[in-house]
Structure formats: structure tokens, C-alpha cells
Amino acid sequence: MTATIFKKELTEMLRDGRFRWLSTSVLVLLGAAVLMGMAHTRDVQTQHETAQAAARQDWVGQGEKNPHSAVHYGTYAFKPTMALSAIDPGVDPYVGVSAFLEGHRQNQFEFRPAQDATAMQRFGQLTAATVLQLLIPLLVIVMGFSVFAGEREQGTLRQLMSLGISPGRLALGKALGVSGALAIVLVPAAVLGVVALTLATPGAEVAADAPRLAMMVGAYLLYFGVFVALSLAVSAKAPSSRLALVVLLGFWIVNGLVAPRAVTDVARSLYPSPSSFEFTTGIQAALADGLDGQSPTDARMAAYQQEVLAEYGVDSVDELPISFAGLRFQKSEEMGNEVFDYYYGGLNDTFESQNRVRSLSAVVAPLLAVQSLSMGLAGTDVAQHRHFSEAAEEYRRMYVGRMNEDIAQNAGAGRYVAEAGLWASVPEFDYQAPSVGWVLANHRLSILLLFAWLAVALTLAMRAASALRPV
Amino acid sequence: MLKATDLTKTYNGVAALDRLNLEVAPGDVFCLLGANGAGKTTTINLFLNFIEPSGGTAQVNGLDVTRQPLETKRWLAYIPEQVMLYRHLTGLENLDYFTALSGTDHYPPDQLRAFFKQVGLQDGVADQRVSTYSKGMRQKVGIAIALAKQAKALLLDEPTSGLDPKASNEFSRLLQRLSGEGVAVLMATHDLFRAKESGTRVGIMNQGQLKQTLTTAEIGHADLERIYLEQMHD
Ligand SMILES: Nc1ncnc2c1ncn2[C@@H]1O[C@H](COP(=O)(O)OP(=O)(O)OP(=O)(O)O)[C@@H](O)[C@H]1O
Ligand SMILES: [Mg+2]
């Protein structure tokens, strides 16, 4: 019986010129977004591979020079782009995916969150994620608003309900009909996406991304399910199909346009992020006078020098068995790191608090839940960005430390030049992206809320269907 | 088979149907006559549980329609005044859909076509989209749907509206045949002539009340018309 209803709903939809026109347009948009995203991701990936290799070559091939010049010469770290970022670029376009690593400073990261926090929430470009998060629900609404209300207006509901079919089965058949029509758009797009993904990236990587892809598909299916069920519920309840459409479009606008902006504003007023100016001047002041604002660098350095002299039991730096230049570089590095840890840590905590507000707000708009989950699975959310920048920063501290250590151990009086072999002794930056489990744990609230939305929407649909009357 | 006991429906304090007591036995063809707004459609809607009664009960085969809305409908077939169909589907597909959902045995296509023939729809029409059908043609599809359901009771709300005289006549004969097979029929109609022809009993309604019940075999056509008009006077 359910199968019969499903088949009839689908047949009707397919014979409706408006549906054919609409679904073809959405399919074209989705296909274009996927292909464009794929091309972009592939470009970024190849650029990164070449750039990473070149950066390493430059580093290793520095020849004989002072290690401190090497520290300033610096190198690059690149965040590996997952193939899935083609579907959801997330915050990547706003925060960048590469970091220039050099001595003395963390703020050379192209991750400049204070500046980009506003841009982070903007979704200007056409991405597959935008199509999936905004256009597909619209398509569902257009297909679903009249399933009951339209039949009531047409009068077919009288005959249908005179047959004695159970409202549950009727609703299920209708839900499947809308889903089936949706599948006609989504399945070709998904096939196109997977084929393009396989062609664009080496096979191994696709296989590695498969669990993330499967979960992303699952997340979006849950999200679409919410809209299918809500459309049914409203269509069964509304006195007219016009009203059903108005109510559903109202929800769509709140979910897709109003809530994300409002929530961003609320999150930022609850947890204000510093302006770029405040942030940089704060760092500069702290670098000069310490975090307490009362410990000038020179004074601290002088005290450190006294400590070292006392430790070695000598009166001047020239009597030290090691080069004080190396120690001084390292000390200044550590003083800087303390400042960076404080400022960047605080900033990241602010962003995490803002993100928590966003995740919680998925209570009013399921978009917020699927959005954060989608970015997470694509490896392009703020958390994974932080993970990467922390790894890059750790690497920077490691190699700068080694350079300073080399100076301390080997530099004597006069000009010191290290051997060319020193550079190769610094291991390459080998970033391990977090596991799926790590991502899921980060987004457990979004997952929970997505399931909750579906449960509520299904309950509403079942209730509305059982109370259905043809007159 | 169909039984109304003090069945009442009020809208904003005004009774659309006022304590209706009625029984339609198997083989009975009960025709409800009455002016526009007399409460005929209301009665049928109550039997279908499309609207909640304000008082009294409607029973089908001994079951209360509000308590067992799905079971009672299994015994019923319904033809509304305006049969509405899915315009993107063909006549045959509509018939197939409604019969499949009726829970009756699955009919093979040629048997479905036979129903079309039986209600007087020409060959070829079955495969056309319903959006090209005339009102009478849709009505005939409605009759075919009801026939295919093989129900024990028919609820007919001016089923022959829009039918040409020949089709109306055939419908009367169809009702007689079904009555002979033991089907209970409750039909709202404005056609006194057809009511006398195909009905076994007629009930005259006015302002929600069943004023008088007559057995058609015992009265002539002229008597029926006279009594009807008398009832309409008060
Ligand atoms: N939804 C409603 N709200 C208010 N009043 C209603 C409603 N439905 C029907 N009525 C009233 O109930 C009364 C009976 O209506 P009903 O449709 O049963 O008449 P009927 O005998 O079928 O008339 P007709 O011959 O025109 O088909 C009418 O006075 C009508 O105005
Ligand atoms: Mg009526």
C-alpha cells in the first residue's frame, strides 16, 4: 500500500512540468558547484604539494649560513585539503590554509581570526554545501507543501480517505514520494561528486575519506528528512495549501537566512572577539613589557643573563663555555611564545565559545547543526583549523629551538656559520589531521540536535496525519 | 448495514442534521430527498467520519464509525457529487490507484478496463490523462472505483450529477442490480423520478430533519412529488 502511494506520488511529480524544470535547475546548480569545488580543491592540492616540496628544498638547500638567518628565512606549512573540502570549503576561504613559519612571531599565520571572524560566517559563494543546506530544503518544500493540503483542495482527499487507509501509511507513502523525487536530483549529483572526487584525487585518499563522506551523506539525509517531515506536517495541518507554503517558506527563511545571522550577532555580543587592531597592539605591548605590562623585555633579559652567569659561576658572557647569543635568542623566543599562547589561546577560546552558542542555537534552526557537522566532516571547521595551526606552531617552536641550540653549542666569538647539513637534520613538517572520531566528538551536540529535529518533525507529521480530515 | 441513531450535527448552534434515525438494510436503496442545505451531504459525511457528530451515532455493519474509522470504511464505497481525480494520471491509473488502496484484490489491467466499459466509458478513454475528461466522464470513473471496491454499502451523494440521461438510466439499473446482490445503498439525490425508479425507500428531509419515509413500491410518481412539495412548504 505504501509502495502504491509512493509510486503514484512520484509519477505525478515526474509528469509535472514545474517539478521537472525545478529539479533540473537544482541538479545543474549542484553539479556545477561540485565540479567547481572539485577543480578548486585539486588546484589547491597540487599547488600545495609543489609549494611544500619547494619550501622544503629551499630550507634544506640554504647552504652555509648563520642558523639565526635561517630562522628568519623561515619556511611554509600547508594544511592538507581533504577532498571533501570541495563540497564544503567551510572557513578555509576566510582563514587560509597555509602558514609562514619564522622566528620571533606567531602572527605571521595566514590564520588571522580576529580579522576574519565576521567573514567566517558569511556564505557568499556557490558551494555544494550551500546548495545542500539552502536550495534542497527549498525544493523539498516546493514538492511537499501541497501533498495533503492540495489534495484537500482538489477534492481527491475525500475519495482517498473514504477508502479506509491508515493515515500513517498515507503519510509514509507521501514522505517516500517526496524523498524519491528528491533522490532523482541527489543521486546523479552524488554519483557525479564521487566520480569527480575519484578522478581528482589519488585513490588512496578517497578511500581514506570514505567514512567522512558516508557520515556527511548521513548528516544531510537527516537534515532533508526534517524538511520532508515538516512539509508533511504543515501540509496536513494547514487550512489551505497557500498557507502551508507561506508557513514553510517562513520557516525556511528563519532557518536559512535569519537565524544564522542573528546567532552570529548574539554569539559575538556574548563573547566579543577583539578587533584586529586591539589584538596586534595587545601583542606588541606584551612583547615589549610582558603580559603584566610591567616587565620590560630588556630588564627580563638582563635578569636572565645574571641567572645564567650565576649558574655557570662566571662574571661575563665571554667566559661562558657556550654561546650566550643562542641562549638569548631562545629566551626571547620563549618570552614571545608566552605572549602568543596567551593571546591566541584566548582568541581561540573566544571562538570556541562563539561556536558553542552556534551549536546550541541549532535548537531553533537545524541548518546550524548540519552546517557545523558538514564543515567538521570536510575538515574545514574552526576546530580543525586550530588543530592545524597549533601543530604548525609546535613545529615552528621545535625548529627555531634547534637553530638556537646549535648557535648556543657551536658559535664562538665572531661570525658563526653552520654547516649545510644542519638544515636537513630538521625533520619535515608532517601534519596528521584529526580522526573522524575526534571530529564527531567535537560535534556531538550538532549530531544530537539533528536527530532531535528529525524526531520532533516526524512526531508532528504523524500527529497531523492522524488528525487529517478531508473537509 | 447502515444505521443512524439520533445522529446530530450542529454548526455554531444551528443543527445541520437533527436527530436522524435511519436504517438501511442489505438490498435497500434509500434515497434522501430534500432542498439544498437540508442535511443530506452532512449525513453522508457523518457516515464517512469526515466530520465529528455533535450527538448520536452512525454505525456501519454494527460498528461505530467514530470508534473504528478504518474498519467501517472497508465496508463502504463512496461517490461524491463531484468526483475528483489526479489530473496527471490517466483514468486507468486513477482507477488502479484507488482500487489498490481499497484493500481489495489486485485487479489485472484488462479487468480494470472492463470496469470502464461497464460504466459506459469508451475504449481509449482509459489511457487518457484525467485532465482531459469531462465532468460526466470523471463521475463515471468514480462509479467504476466504487464498483471495483465491491463494497457492502454505498454512500452516494448525487452520484449522477452531470451524467447524460442514458448514463443516468444505466446507473439506475446498476443500482437495481447491486440491490439484488444485497448491497445497502444510501443515496442523496434531487431526482424524484430516479428515486422512485431505483430506490426501495425514500426519505424526505427538511432543515436537518427527516420528515417522512416512504416505500417507493407503495406510491406513484405523482404522489411522491406531491408529498415532497408538501414537506417543503413548512
Ligand atoms: N462547515 C460548515 N460550517 C457551517 N455550516 C455548514 C458546514 N457544512 C454544512 N453546513 C450547513 O449545514 C447545512 C446542511 O448542509 P448539507 O451540505 O448537508 O446540505 P445538502 O442537503 O447536502 O444540500 P445540497 O442539496 O445543496 O447538496 C446547511 O445549512 C449548511 O449551510
Ligand atoms: Mg449536498
Side-chain angles (χ1 to χ4, degrees):
Chain A
M1 186 180 279
T2 309
T4 311
I5 300 169
F6 163 70
K7 203 180 114 210
K8 172 248 159 194
E9 294 290 324
L10 200 58
T11 312
E12 270 193 301
M13 211 97 75
L14 289 179
R15 286 183 190 170
D16 189 339
R18 286 168 306 176
F19 167 75
R20 285 201 303 262
W21 185 86
L22 195 64
S23 49
T24 312
S25 322
V26 173
L27 179 56
V28 167
L29 271 179
L30 187 53
V34 168
L35 290 181
M36 269 157 35
M38 220 58 91
H40 177 75
T41 303
R42 188 162 63 170
D43 280 355
V44 171
Q45 270 174 346
T46 32
Q47 274 172 24
H48 279 193
E49 273 157 31
T50 1
Q52 186 82 69
R56 178 67 184 171
Q57 222 166 16
D58 286 350
W59 172 261
V60 172
Q62 287 182 96
E64 292 185 356
K65 63 153 94 155
N66 184 291
H68 192 67
S69 317
V71 161
H72 278 288
Y73 185 70
T75 189
Y76 280 94
F78 295 91
K79 179 170 176 245
T81 33
M82 251 170 244
L84 283 178
S85 69
I87 292 168
D88 195 343
V91 299
D92 277 2
Y94 308 106
V95 299
V97 286
S98 61
F100 180 58
L101 312 175
E102 62 167 340
H104 306 314
R105 57 219 308 173
Q106 183 170 351
N107 62 353
Q108 285 294 339
F109 279 95
E110 273 166 46
F111 180 33
R112 293 201 191 100
Q115 216 171 329
D116 292 329
T118 54
M120 208 164 75
Q121 322 296 4
R122 254 183 252 140
F123 291 89
Q125 347 130 263
L126 174 74
T127 65
T130 325
V131 176
L132 293 171
Q133 289 164 12
L134 293 176
L135 282 187
I136 299 289
L138 194 59
L139 183 64
V140 170
I141 287 173
V142 169
M143 291 189 302
F145 78 96
S146 67
V147 285
F148 288 120
E151 282 216 39
R152 188 189 291 122
E153 277 162 359
Q154 287 248 302
T156 46
L157 196 58
R158 290 181 75 88
Q159 268 132 289
L160 197 58
M161 294 203 66
S162 76
L163 301 174
I165 55 173
S166 96
R169 288 201 178 185
L170 182 60
L172 182 60
K174 296 241 174 215
L176 290 177
V178 174
S179 312
L182 192 58
I184 291 173
V185 176
L186 292 179
V187 171
V191 170
L192 178 77
V194 171
V195 169
L197 231 130
T198 317
L199 293 180
T201 53
E205 227 172 297
V206 175
D209 280 353
R212 279 171 178 259
L213 177 63
M215 275 177 246
M216 199 187 246
V217 169
Y220 278 109
L221 289 185
L222 283 177
Y223 180 62
F224 302 151
V226 170
F227 277 87
V228 171
L230 279 183
S231 300
L232 253 63
V234 173
S235 189
K237 204 104 204 149
S240 74
S241 56
R242 274 172 77 98
L243 193 62
L245 184 60
V246 168
V247 168
L248 288 167
L249 285 181
F251 176 71
W252 181 82
I253 289 170
V254 169
N255 174 64
L257 307 176
V258 178
R261 272 152 225 257
V263 164
T264 303
D265 290 343
V266 168
R268 266 192 274 143
S269 64
L270 285 178
Y271 301 100
S273 31
S275 71
S276 179
F277 178 75
E278 278 174 336
F279 189 69
T280 27
T281 47
I283 287 182
Q284 271 156 13
L287 285 176
D289 294 318
L291 283 172
D292 57 6
Q294 314 189 342
S295 329
T297 312
D298 294 347
R300 280 186 287 162
M301 195 54 89
Y304 175 65
Q305 186 169 336
Q306 288 313 313
E307 255 175 60
V308 172
L309 292 180
E311 192 184 322
Y312 283 91
V314 292
D315 295 330
S316 77
V317 291
D318 298 333
E319 293 169 45
L320 285 171
I322 50 169
S323 159
F324 186 68
L327 295 187
R328 199 178 61 227
F329 284 139
Q330 187 57 26
K331 180 63 183 174
S332 120
E333 198 65 36
E334 278 161 17
M335 290 190 299
N337 289 348
E338 203 186 335
V339 172
F340 297 133
D341 283 346
Y342 178 80
Y343 274 90
Y344 278 92
L347 186 65
N348 281 324
D349 290 345
T350 305
F351 285 136
E352 265 167 33
S353 302
Q354 290 180 354
N355 269 345
R356 249 196 319 279
V357 173
R358 276 181 84 76
S359 302
L360 264 173
S361 304
V363 170
V364 291
L367 172 80
L368 295 168
V370 81
Q371 210 170 51
S372 78
L373 197 51
S374 170
M375 280 196 263
L377 290 167
T380 56
D381 62 348
V382 173
Q384 279 166 94
H385 217 281
R386 182 177 188 175
H387 188 275
F388 165 75
S389 35
E390 282 172 357
E393 177 61 11
E394 200 182 311
Y395 177 77
R396 182 186 78 84
R397 290 179 188 185
M398 179 278 293
Y399 94 79
V400 170
R402 282 213 192 178
M403 294 300 111
N404 292 336
E405 175 71 12
D406 182 77
I407 296 173
Q409 294 304 328
N410 302 321
R415 201 173 122 73
Y416 167 61
V417 173
E419 284 167 27
L422 174 65
W423 324 125
S425 76
V426 175
E428 251 180 289
F429 178 53
D430 180 25
Y431 176 64
Q432 292 300 320
S435 68
V436 196
W438 187 89
V439 172
L440 291 182
N442 260 339
H443 291 280
R444 56 186 181 274
L445 184 60
S446 301
I447 298 171
L448 186 79
L449 287 176
L450 216 44
F451 274 107
W453 264 102
L454 187 64
V456 168
L458 284 177
T459 313
L460 288 178
M462 284 315 291
R463 284 221 189 140
S466 345
L468 192 66
R469 294 275 164 148
V471 283
Chain B
M1 193 67 209
L2 298 173
K3 189 178 174 193
T5 315
D6 287 334
L7 191 59
T8 303
K9 177 70 187 178
T10 52
Y11 288 109
N12 310 317
V14 181
L17 188 65
D18 190 7
R19 285 163 292 155
L20 174 74
N21 286 288
L22 178 77
E23 204 165 343
V24 186
D28 256 357
V29 178
F30 193 105
C31 296
L32 280 178
L33 298 171
N36 298 125
K40 305 180 295 294
T41 299
T42 304
T43 306
I44 289 174
N45 281 345
L46 284 165
F47 271 106
L48 287 164
N49 191 38
F50 284 176
I51 51 179
E52 294 250 22
S54 316
T57 56
Q59 290 183 330
V60 177
N61 205 22
L63 301 177
D64 188 330
V65 298
T66 57
R67 298 234 183 83
Q68 272 131 317
L70 298 187
E71 288 78 357
T72 49
K73 286 194 193 97
R74 301 242 165 82
W75 304 97
L76 298 175
Y78 165 62
I79 303 177
E81 187 182 346
Q82 304 255 0
V83 172
M84 299 309 297
L85 302 165
Y86 300 104
R87 33 198 306 277
H88 290 299
L89 304 183
T90 68
L92 193 70
E93 286 168 337
N94 269 285
L95 178 61
D96 188 21
Y97 181 60
F98 283 112
T99 52
L101 294 187
S102 302
T104 42
D105 310 331
H106 184 74
Y107 291 108
D110 50 325
Q111 221 165 325
L112 289 175
R113 282 176 202 282
F115 283 116
F116 269 79
K117 206 168 241 157
Q118 206 179 333
V119 298
L121 284 169
Q122 287 102 342
D123 275 351
V125 165
D127 296 312
Q128 283 171 18
R129 297 265 175 101
V130 160
S131 48
T132 67
Y133 281 25
S134 70
K135 177 177 186 305
M137 286 161 79
R138 286 203 304 273
Q139 213 62 25
K140 288 176 177 176
V141 176
I143 298 168
I145 293 169
L147 272 181
K149 196 173 177 188
Q150 297 182 316
K152 291 280 174 281
L154 293 181
L155 295 171
L156 312 175
D157 196 353
E158 303 179 40
T160 55
S161 77
L163 287 190
D164 59 60
K166 180 170 170 282
S168 263
N169 178 276
E170 281 164 6
F171 186 72
S172 289
R173 274 194 271 149
L174 178 69
L175 283 186
Q176 279 161 4
R177 201 197 82 207
L178 292 172
S179 153
E181 290 169 9
V183 175
V185 180
L186 177 64
M187 173 163 72
T189 180
H190 290 299
D191 190 336
L192 299 183
F193 177 74
R194 292 276 162 227
K196 161 87 181 88
E197 285 289 287
S198 49
T200 57
R201 288 192 295 155
V202 296
I204 301 170
M205 291 185 79
N206 197 3
Q207 295 182 358
Q209 291 179 343
L210 181 60
K211 295 288 188 186
Q212 197 167 358
T213 308
L214 302 161
T215 306
T216 54
E218 294 168 0
I219 49 159
H221 182 256
D223 297 329
L224 177 60
E225 184 158 3
R226 183 178 47 79
I227 296 168
Y228 176 85
L229 290 174
E230 271 172 23
Q231 289 293 358
M232 291 305 113
H233 270 297
D234 6 317

